[in-house]
Amino acid sequence: MTIINLKSPRYFTVILIVFAFIVSLFLIIPSLYVIIWSFLGTANVGVLGKPTVVWYKEVLFNKQWIYAATYSVSLAIASSTISTISSVFYYYSSIWFRNHYQNLGWILMIGPLFFPTIIYGLALRATFNANNLSEWSALLVGHSVLSFPIQYFIIESNNERLNSKWIFSAVSLGATHWEVLKKIVFPLFHYPILLAFGIGFLLSFDEIVLATFVIDSPISTIPKKMWDAINYSHDPTPAVIGTSVLLIAILCFLLGKLIFRNKDNGY
Amino acid sequence: MNKIKVILSLVPLVLMFLFFWVPIIVWLQKWVFATNTISFWPDSSTRTLLLNTFYVASITSLVSTTIAHPITIFWWLASRRYRTILISVMMLPLFVGLLARNYSWIGMLSYLESTNISLLNIFSDQHILYTNFSVVLVMIYIFIPFAFFIIIQSFSTIGFAELNAGKTMGASFFESLHKLVLPRTWKQTIISILFIFASSFGYYVTPRMIGGGKNDLIGNLIWRYMEQGDLDSASLSALILLLLLVPLYVVSFILIVRWRRRILGR
């Protein structure tokens, strides 16, 4: 069973493996605690009781949580779709236009990456709420913007799938840009695009900062609802939601692997 | 066909400008250039918060990146199976959600306190929860995957052939690692530090939950003002935050563009 590909000094390999194991445990244990807490939790965080599914019933059959989940899911799908399409267009355009276009793109992208989200939340509030525009539109805009750079990096990190000469050849032979996208780019990039969409969905679903700054009405997203409950409730509701999302993500991942197993040429 | 190409290329840029920079400009125009009777110079309590924020953000960014770097080296050297396992481990916290993870840390740390484990004597009065230490610990936990995914970009462009070439020329494994590989990762490492520093500078969720209201950062102050409806004070504090971070943006932009030009040629 090969762990490390390259021949390196044995003690270095052992130290590296042990360190990676310890850090992996550090990252996994809180997530495992969330799953355990969802089944063994009581009304007080940190106090575990007997196995029960009462918290799952409290959340999954509660109308308010269902409304919040519907709101969060629809927002996440819409924002992730917008940002995924934008990032594909930006990636495709970067093949054609270099230098100034890419520098301009980076100047525009650097904001969402490095501006604290709290500042962007204030800006959205000043622009949308102050002008009586809907909260949903502010959240849609905000979530799309925050996901865009990350989705672009995901798509671009799979650059080796595509040789730009194929695109130039196709266009020189008369293909339109839509044909190039449809017949060359999307087939080669279906996995990164789906992955980018999934990551954008998760980022939007879990986004709390913009939600707390923009949402004033009772209709809120799931993270906002959990945040509002912090002062009076420490029950395992967040754990139930976290575990449910994790389970759905694993199922989607396995389904994706199954569907694209034969089409994906070893990627 | 050129029109379509131009439209396709402009759509993402226009969206980014309209959806991000226009709200920022509107906010700046509203709160910076409007008449404002509040003094721009922060009072002593705000200065204390800023110092605490700077301290927490610095430690978080440095430690997260320091921990993520050897993990990335492991990923780079590992076989495909262990690479996949490591990526899954790094992505797992993303699925579980930020609030759930914060709650899990509250549960675990309060359990450690209640069991009176002697290791806690190292920290004052056996308290771990609701201290600056616990806030930093959880923020490091949150940002390690971010640092990993940023630094991984540099390693993914370095092939084993270069290490093997160095070995053929008589260099030891560590010489090759030290002189061939690590110098090409320092830009991404710095980008990681700057990104995590900027992100944790505006953080308020984890300090609020794990710090218990006693270990606030500047983000908590902004959020409190916003909750009370005092948008003047919230915007002023946010503006101070923004001005402090401007040099970071400039440095990050230069590093990112130069790294991309060197590696990708574009």
Side-chain angles (χ1 to χ4, degrees), chain A residues 42-61:
Chain A
T42 61
N44 294 313
V45 66
V47 178
L48 298 176
K50 293 178 185 172
T52 176
V53 292
V54 68
W55 305 110
Y56 280 89
K57 287 180 187 169
E58 285 263 336
V59 172
L60 298 176
F61 297 107

Side-chain angles (χ1 to χ4, degrees), chain B residues 9 12 21 39 41 47 52 57 59 70 77 79 82 98 107-108 124 126 183-186 190 199 204 232 237 256 261:
Chain B
S9 64
W21 289 104
S39 165
W41 185 250
R47 285 200 299 271
N52 191 38
I59 295 184
L77 293 174
S79 60
Y82 287 94
L98 178 64
M108 291 190 306
S124 60
Q126 298 189 341
R184 291 161 68 173
T185 65
W186 72 266
I190 291 176
S199 300
Y204 67 92
D232 275 345
S237 303
I256 289 172
R261 281 222 180 109

Side-chain angles (χ1 to χ4, degrees), chain A residues 1-9 11-12 16-17 19-20 23-24 26-31 33-34 37 45-46 82 86 89-99 101-116 118-120 122-128 130 141 144-145 148-149 152-153 156-157 159 171 175-177 181 195 199 202-203 206 208-209 212-213 223 226-227 229-231 233-234 238-239 241-243 245-246 249 266-267, chain B residues 1-2 4-6 8-17 19-24 26-27 30-31 66-67 70-71 73-74 76-82 86 89-101 103-108 110-111 130 137 140-141 144-145 153 160 163-164 167 173-174 177 191 194-195 198-199 201-202 204-205 208-209 218-220 222-223 226-227 231 234-235 238 241-242 245 248-249 252-253 256-257 260-261 264-266:
Chain A
M1 181 174 69
T2 311
I3 299 176
I4 300 253
N5 271 331
L6 206 64
K7 269 195 176 173
S8 53
Y11 66 91
F12 176 76
L16 208 55
I17 291 171
F19 185 76
V23 173
S24 300
F26 178 64
L27 292 174
I28 290 173
I29 286 173
S31 303
Y33 185 89
V34 167
W37 184 35
V45 66
I82 292 171
S86 301
F89 282 176
Y90 180 69
Y91 173 75
Y92 181 70
S93 304
S94 298
I95 296 172
W96 290 99
F97 304 110
R98 305 272 170 115
N99 295 332
Y101 177 81
Q102 288 179 9
N103 285 344
L104 183 59
W106 275 110
I107 290 171
L108 294 174
M109 255 203 286
I110 210 95
L113 281 176
F114 288 89
F115 269 54
I118 204 168
I119 291 176
Y120 187 40
L122 274 172
L124 283 177
R125 193 181 176 87
T127 311
F128 283 80
V141 157
S144 305
V145 162
F148 175 83
Y152 170 70
F153 289 140
E156 201 211 27
S157 65
N159 217 19
V171 169
T176 63
H177 289 291
L181 281 167
L195 182 65
I199 297 293
L202 283 171
L203 287 173
D206 193 40
I208 175 70
V209 177
T212 54
F213 276 77
M226 288 197 284
W227 177 254
I230 277 176
N231 290 331
S233 173
H234 280 193
I241 292 165
T243 309
V245 170
L246 178 63
Y267 281 104
Chain B
M1 188 150 70
N2 280 334
I4 297 172
K5 194 164 79 178
V6 169
L8 277 182
S9 64
L10 284 179
V11 161
L13 298 184
V14 167
L15 284 177
M16 284 301 289
F17 179 74
F19 287 174
F20 182 82
W21 289 104
V22 165
I24 294 287
V26 165
W27 170 68
K30 201 168 181 176
W31 300 108
T66 306
I67 291 174
I71 300 295
I73 295 175
F74 174 78
W76 181 60
L77 293 174
S79 60
R80 189 173 173 165
R81 172 193 278 192
Y82 287 94
L86 192 56
V89 165
M90 289 294 168
M91 291 199 59
L92 178 66
L94 191 67
F95 295 130
V96 170
L98 178 64
L99 287 172
R101 283 180 283 158
Y103 271 120
S104 75
W105 274 102
I106 293 174
M108 291 190 306
S110 58
Y111 173 76
Y130 307 133
L137 178 69
I140 288 169
Y141 158 78
I144 285 175
Q153 298 283 325
F160 287 150
L163 269 185
N164 288 331
K167 193 177 165 188
F173 174 81
F174 287 114
L177 197 66
I191 290 169
L194 295 176
F195 174 77
S199 300
F201 221 76
Y204 67 92
V205 174
R208 165 74 175 82
M209 294 177 74
I218 191 73
N220 294 90
I222 296 171
W223 173 72
M226 201 279 306
E227 259 214 325
L231 291 181
S235 297
L241 187 66
L242 188 61
L245 292 175
L248 286 185
Y249 306 142
S252 307
F253 175 72
I256 289 172
V257 169
R260 288 177 60 84
R261 281 222 180 109
L264 303 173
R266 60 189 174 110

